[in-house]
Amino acid sequence: MLLPGAEELGITQRQCLELLESAEDTLDFLISSLTYLIHAESQQAQPDAALIAEWEALDQEVFDVQYSLPGSDAKTYQHVINTYAQRNRELRPVVDRYMAK
């Protein structure tokens, strides 16, 4: 199964499957991190409502992206992986700080 636009990018069927899996894994990991962070912050003595709202907004964005992906073209999958992998990298130190508490 080739994703739309894969052929013109020279992406094989196997690479398409890897794109699909990578996008799914990237988004799932980000949702998991955000769920953890929202819960951890809400358990603080004085939760930061603005921070929680920011994370909830990102969580909703990722949810929307995740459910809009089926049927997307290969470039969209690549963009999702690049964009949200970067978000994962940005949140990793934050998750680590909460876990160290």
Side-chain angles (χ1 to χ4, degrees), residues 20 23-24 27 64-73 76-77 80:
L20 292 167
E24 183 179 312
L27 295 174
D64 292 344
V65 167
Q66 191 171 37
Y67 286 94
S68 71
L69 270 180
S72 294
D73 63 14
T76 300
Y77 277 91
V80 164

Side-chain angles (χ1 to χ4, degrees), residues 22-42:
S22 183
E24 183 179 312
D25 290 348
T26 299
L27 295 174
D28 286 346
F29 184 75
L30 185 52
I31 288 172
S32 177
S33 294
L34 289 165
T35 300
Y36 172 78
L37 289 171
I38 291 165
H39 175 74
E41 181 59 31
S42 69

Side-chain angles (χ1 to χ4, degrees), residues 74-85:
K75 284 184 182 180
T76 300
Y77 277 91
Q78 290 171 329
H79 175 73
V80 164
I81 292 164
N82 292 334
T83 300
Y84 293 102

Side-chain angles (χ1 to χ4, degrees), residues 28 39 42 47 50-51 53 63 70 88 92 99-100:
D28 286 346
H39 175 74
S42 69
L51 192 54
F63 178 84
N88 277 321
R92 187 73 240 165
M99 292 182 89

